[in-house]
Amino acid sequence: MPPVTAFLLLLPSFLLCPSTSFPFDTAYHIDCGSSTTTTDNFNTTWLSDRYFTAGSTGLVSEPLRFHSFHEKTLRYFPVSSGKKNCYIFPELPPGRYYLRTFTVYDNYDGKTHPPSFDLSIEGTLVFSWRSPWEDDVSRHGAYSDFIFFVSDGDGDVCFYSIATDPPVIGSLELIQIDPASYDPVLTGNESSILVNYGRLSCGSNRWGPGFSNDEDVFGRVWESDAKYRSGKLVGIKSVTAVRKVMNTDTSPNYFPAKLFDSAVTLTGTGDLEYELAVDAKLDYLVWLHFAEIDVSVNRKGKRVFDVVINDENVTRIDIFKEVGGFAAYSYRYVARNLSSTLLTVKLVRVVGSPLICGLENYAIVPADVMTVPQQATAMQALKESLRVPERMGWNGDPCAPTNWDAWEGVTCHPNKDESALVIFQIDLASQGLKGYISDKIVLLTNLVSLNLSSNSLGGTLPSGLGQSSLKKLDLSNNQISGSIPDSLSSSNLQLVLLNGNKLDGQVPEELYSIGVHGGAIDLSGNKGLCGVPSLPDCPLFRGLSNGGKIAVGISCGVVVLLVLIIVCICIRRRRNDYDFAHPQELISLASKKNKYHTQKSLMALEMESQHAKGFIRSYSSN
């Protein structure tokens, strides 16, 4: 998609931003660069600056030129903040949103050089600012507005610096609108963004939120059609409604009653024609608004005209036939693939004189492809865990818009069906990173090369690192500790540099085989690694955790203690039972012993008997 230069509404300095009465609750009015929250004369609350990723605050050079406080302050993004910076509106309900920006320079930096930069919404480039700006725009600022879908919960409005110029922004307004507004089916639903190239109220001055008390619940501002009428027109007449117009402020577009209270028609001959500046090669949604508010036209057939857009007759209109008198009627048409930078809308008379109340023109900008959501989540996690410095501009979508470079050090490719972008390469060598590698890196399933060498990264290697797509891994010269996960034993790896870290444990043989099969691997400088050639052998319990080693020691101690107990029991039993013999031998010994005692008793009795009879000589002295 070529860069788009948005049609900018040049509004007077007293313009205030819209207040919201639409049934949806989500509405933000951000006063960029302001440190305070204020309320304007139309009861709109302007929030102090928030939701920005980086940048600095500034004041316009001549604040008295601006009556509204939110137009006097701004935020700018110097080169030190990175090439890409964003406002990210968080936790938005899914749906359709209206965004309005106010951009002003007014020589806030004293350099008299308005910056060149691009602006994107939800990853799609919507317009470009190029220096030098028109003098009126530079001094007074300009408003632009857009309609888009949010589906992922965050609304991203991002700025991209061209060369070294710092992008600037004065205020941002985000309002949720009816999801069916402006025929999303006709314009591609979520596949496009509508960029306003003109919103005209015919026969009246500028009005709407901030201009007057006439509200537009979407926050739209309507400007006079006078300067967009063809210079060939003569006899223009304004018509004002004498009674209330019906069917206004209705779902889903809520076109305000004020829009149909006035109209323009012709008093003479000729056709009613408008000329709108556009960009070529885009489609445009043209929305025409009518109401038969001339009391003299009281039946069908009295006012009939053809609508011719870029010389193509697209429809015939009879307002009274469609809705009757004093009732709102709108018609829409898409002009495809314009070949010029001018869009013409001509109302060609058939019967009577043509009449119109309002006209809107929106470029239908195709939504750019964005990073696969899971991979965008992984990159945000890496941004935080690696502590990527602000100067690298890691903000918004990592890869989108495709017109811009991806995040610094990141290379993206379309996926197979080109429906989204994927992370192909990350090179953040020697960037002073001091964090660790997030486990969510495993979600980068298309990552081919990862280089985080020569930083001060700590922590351990994620257990899932080594996805099948990965071919080159350089984490050398960091402070990564712990073991090498088995997941790195990928047959697709061709280069593995882990030298100069604090890794320990056994090296998986499959990983070391990378060098054997023609790849390159360097594990030097890790004193704790072991188990493959050129490294020490691993001890018996190498690789066990401290808890495991303690458990093994306790188990061994228990076994030794049990053995000692058994030995002691055996020794004690041997001491008590050393004279035991076989049972047969014990019985024989007992019998002999009993016989001996019996004989001894009989001999003693016989001797006592003889002694009593005087047969025994006495050996006592005479």
Side-chain angles (χ1 to χ4, degrees):
M1 183 192 72
V4 176
T5 302
F7 176 81
L8 303 174
L9 303 180
L10 303 183
L11 305 179
S13 60
F14 61 84
L15 175 64
L16 296 173
C17 289
S19 58
T20 304
S21 59
F22 192 69
F24 291 105
D25 294 331
T26 304
Y28 294 97
H29 305 268
I30 307 295
D31 185 357
C32 302
S34 175
S35 60
T36 59
T37 295
T38 58
T39 300
D40 65 20
N41 294 333
F42 293 90
N43 204 32
T44 297
T45 298
W46 287 91
L47 301 175
S48 58
D49 205 358
R50 62 192 67 192
Y51 305 142
F52 51 83
T53 57
S56 303
T57 61
L59 294 172
V60 296
S61 291
E62 300 184 41
L64 294 180
R65 181 183 293 132
F66 301 90
H67 295 179
S68 304
F69 187 73
H70 72 267
E71 295 178 331
K72 301 179 182 183
T73 61
L74 55 84
R75 175 164 292 275
Y76 66 95
F77 304 99
V79 176
S80 58
S81 298
K83 295 283 288 184
K84 180 180 180 181
N85 284 278
C86 305
Y87 275 80
I88 301 176
F89 294 87
E91 300 179 359
L92 294 178
R96 206 161 202 193
Y97 286 83
Y98 171 85
L99 174 74
R100 190 161 178 239
T101 67
F102 175 68
T103 307
V104 63
Y105 173 64
D106 194 40
N107 201 28
Y108 78 93
D109 56 1
K111 297 180 179 180
T112 62
H113 175 70
S116 296
F117 64 93
D118 291 342
L119 184 145
S120 75
I121 298 173
E122 290 292 280
T124 298
L125 177 65
V126 290
F127 69 72
S128 301
W129 291 81
R130 292 294 181 266
S131 185
W133 299 5
E134 293 181 10
D135 185 62
D136 283 346
V137 175
S138 177
R139 288 171 57 86
H140 298 282
Y143 284 83
S144 304
D145 59 77
F146 317 87
I147 296 173
F148 63 99
F149 273 93
V150 171
S151 57
D152 60 359
D154 291 333
D156 297 354
V157 180
C158 296
F159 307 82
Y160 189 79
S161 173
I162 304 300
T164 58
D165 287 354
V168 293
I169 184 68
S171 69
L172 291 168
E173 301 169 77
L174 187 72
I175 301 171
Q176 187 177 8
I177 62 177
D178 195 302
S181 61
Y182 287 96
D183 201 339
V185 175
L186 181 65
T187 57
N189 212 336
E190 298 183 36
S191 64
S192 65
I193 294 177
L194 300 184
V195 181
N196 177 234
Y197 273 62
R199 185 181 296 112
L200 312 181
S201 178
C202 302
S204 67
N205 295 321
R206 290 188 178 98
W207 58 271
F211 270 110
S212 66
N213 289 324
D214 302 289
E215 290 191 355
D216 182 303
V217 295
F218 278 12
R220 293 164 295 201
V221 171
W222 301 80
E223 63 174 331
S224 171
D225 68 323
K227 68 178 181 179
Y228 301 101
R229 301 171 192 157
S230 171
K232 297 175 290 184
L233 291 179
V234 292
I236 295 289
K237 181 179 74 171
S238 295
V239 181
T240 303
V242 294
R243 67 173 188 263
K244 182 179 179 180
V245 176
M246 307 300 293
N247 302 330
T248 63
D249 290 306
T250 58
S251 173
N253 297 297
Y254 295 88
F255 295 124
K258 172 76 173 178
L259 176 62
F260 301 95
D261 282 344
S262 64
V264 294
T265 186
L266 297 174
T267 58
T269 60
D271 305 319
L272 185 56
E273 184 176 3
Y274 291 93
E275 297 176 344
L276 303 173
V278 294
D279 287 303
K281 299 182 181 180
L282 285 174
D283 296 344
Y284 287 83
L285 173 65
V286 181
W287 211 284
L288 305 174
H289 305 289
F290 308 101
E292 187 53 79
I293 56 176
D294 187 341
V295 293
S296 66
V297 179
N298 51 17
R299 58 180 173 83
K300 65 179 182 179
K302 292 193 69 173
R303 189 193 306 276
V304 182
F305 53 90
D306 289 335
V307 176
V308 178
I309 297 179
N310 276 11
D311 298 326
E312 181 179 352
N313 193 327
V314 297
T315 190
R316 177 163 289 183
I317 299 290
D318 182 337
I319 305 171
F320 200 96
K321 178 181 177 181
E322 295 291 341
V323 294
F326 292 89
Y329 173 68
S330 296
Y331 173 81
R332 59 194 179 279
Y333 174 78
V334 175
R336 305 285 182 183
N337 194 25
L338 296 192
S339 58
S340 70
T341 57
L342 188 68
L343 185 146
T344 61
V345 177
K346 185 183 296 186
L347 306 183
V348 179
R349 68 176 66 227
V350 176
V351 178
S353 179
L355 174 146
I356 186 170
C357 294
L359 184 155
E360 295 178 87
N361 184 33
Y362 296 91
I364 305 173
V365 179
D368 208 343
V369 291
M370 299 179 70
T371 306
V372 171
Q374 276 193 329
Q375 298 202 18
T377 298
M379 293 301 291
Q380 288 291 344
L382 279 175
K383 175 186 175 181
E384 296 177 8
S385 71
L386 296 176
R387 301 180 189 173
V388 176
E390 185 178 277
R391 58 179 167 77
M392 300 191 73
W394 277 34
N395 302 303
D397 189 284
C399 303
T402 53
N403 311 72
W404 301 352
D405 293 333
W407 287 359
E408 185 175 343
V410 177
T411 303
C412 303
H413 283 178
N415 60 0
K416 289 183 178 180
D417 61 3
E418 298 188 351
S419 62
L421 300 169
V422 294
I423 309 301
F424 181 76
Q425 178 177 311
I426 300 175
D427 186 352
L428 298 178
S430 304
Q431 293 295 336
L433 308 179
K434 298 181 180 180
Y436 64 93
I437 303 173
S438 169
D439 291 342
K440 291 190 181 296
I441 196 171
V442 300
L443 298 176
L444 303 181
T445 54
N446 304 91
L447 186 64
V448 173
S449 176
L450 176 63
N451 184 356
L452 302 176
S453 62
S454 301
N455 288 291
S456 299
L457 298 177
T460 58
L461 295 176
S463 59
L465 183 61
Q467 45 268 59
S468 60
S469 61
L470 194 62
K471 294 182 179 180
K472 297 180 181 180
L473 177 66
D474 187 354
L475 303 178
S476 60
N477 300 314
N478 280 286
Q479 300 175 24
I480 301 171
S481 59
S483 60
I484 298 176
D486 291 336
S487 59
L488 271 184
S489 303
S490 168
S491 59
N492 294 324
L493 277 168
Q494 300 171 359
L495 175 69
V496 178
L497 303 179
L498 298 175
N499 52 295
N501 280 284
K502 298 180 179 180
L503 298 169
D504 60 19
Q506 186 166 357
V507 178
E509 292 184 8
E510 296 86 349
L511 178 65
Y512 184 76
S513 67
I514 292 172
V516 177
H517 294 92
I521 183 170
D522 190 348
L523 304 174
S524 63
N526 292 278
K527 295 182 179 179
L529 292 179
C530 62
V532 295
S534 78
L535 295 177
D537 293 333
C538 294
L540 178 62
F541 299 124
R542 191 74 181 185
L544 286 178
S545 64
N546 291 334
K549 293 176 182 178
I550 293 172
V552 171
I554 293 174
S555 300
C556 292
V558 170
V559 171
V560 171
L561 181 61
L562 289 174
V563 171
L564 290 175
I565 291 173
I566 293 172
V567 170
C568 289
I569 291 174
C570 292
I571 292 174
R572 180 173 295 177
R573 291 183 66 184
R574 285 181 179 275
R575 286 177 178 173
N576 292 337
D577 301 330
Y578 68 92
D579 56 348
F580 283 6
H582 294 292
Q584 294 82 356
E585 296 174 349
L586 292 176
I587 293 172
S588 178
L589 288 173
S591 299
K592 293 179 180 180
K593 189 174 182 180
N594 290 339
K595 184 177 180 181
Y596 167 76
H597 283 293
T598 301
Q599 292 177 347
K600 182 177 179 181
S601 299
L602 292 174
M603 290 177 64
L605 288 173
E606 184 179 355
M607 289 180 67
E608 288 178 358
S609 174
Q610 291 179 0
H611 183 275
K613 294 180 179 181
F615 295 147
I616 303 300
R617 183 184 296 181
S618 173
Y619 291 94
S620 60
S621 62
N622 295 329

